[in-house]
Structures are given as structure tokens and as C-alpha cells.
Amino acid sequence: PRELTSQVVHNQYGSHFYAKSQNLIRKLTLQYDKTFTKYDLLLMPTIPIVSPLVGQDFGAFQQAREKIRQNTSPFNHTGHPSMTIPCGKSQDGCPVGAMLCAKKLE
């Protein structure tokens, strides 16, 4: 949850970085709000890479970890509704998802 993440940032890094992160979230929210004045929905890959396979070495997972969250995480902070829908399979047979994101309260 956002509140827990905010508390961890505040506890570990202090008020300065907490305040800075909150300001960046506001800017990001305004940019998405502006985008949704022109478009009803955004369609994007849920994750921009093929998921690491179960059983791959931990190093491969660690390298993929940040990329896995890069499309979904911003909407966790801005509060814009989003959902993923299955849309096929990768060459390895792993599921691939598309994410739909929309304006708040619509």
C-alpha cells in the first residue's frame, strides 16, 4: 500500500526525500490527468520485457525486477485505475499482458 511505502521512505531517508517524492508524484499525476483530457484510455504492455522463468538464477530475476514494475508502479502512486488483460504468449510460452489505464473516477 502507498501509505506503507511512504512511511518506509520517510523513516529511512528523512523528511526531505519524503517531501520530494510526494512532489514528484503530484507532477506525475498532473501529467497523466493532462493526457486523459485527450485520450480515454492508455494501452501499454503490462511489463516491457518477457517475465523471467521460474527457476532462473536469482541474478536474472534481480536484473529484471525494476523493469517488471516500470509500467505498473506509476499508477500505484497516482491512483489512476488500471488493469491487465491476457493478450497472448511469448516465444517461451509465458503469458503476455496488456494494461489499460483510465482517468480517475470514470
Side-chain angles (χ1 to χ4, degrees):
R2 183 175 173 193
E3 293 78 21
L4 179 59
T5 303
S6 298
Q7 189 63 44
V8 169
V9 169
H10 178 71
N11 289 345
Q12 284 189 330
Y13 303 106
S15 299
H16 172 76
F17 290 110
Y18 174 76
K20 190 170 186 146
S21 70
Q22 294 304 302
N23 288 333
L24 290 173
I25 289 169
R26 280 190 206 96
K27 287 181 180 180
L28 182 63
T29 300
L30 290 173
Q31 285 298 312
Y32 278 120
D33 288 344
K34 184 178 175 182
T35 300
F36 287 120
T37 63
K38 188 173 179 180
Y39 302 102
D40 293 328
L41 287 172
L42 296 179
L43 173 66
M44 63 184 76
T46 303
I47 60 174
I49 61 170
V50 176
S51 297
L53 297 173
V54 173
Q56 269 186 322
D57 67 283
F58 191 68
F61 174 76
Q62 286 296 92
Q63 288 178 347
R65 194 167 120 193
E66 286 305 312
K67 289 183 180 180
I68 287 173
R69 300 185 313 197
Q70 109 185 3
N71 286 359
T72 58
S73 185
F75 296 101
N76 294 340
H77 296 288
T78 66
H80 291 90
S82 59
M83 64 181 274
T84 187
I85 52 174
C87 65
K89 294 197 180 270
S90 70
Q91 291 177 346
D92 294 334
C94 293
V96 174
M99 186 167 71
L100 294 171
C101 306
K103 188 187 298 189
K104 293 179 183 179
L105 303 175
E106 286 199 13

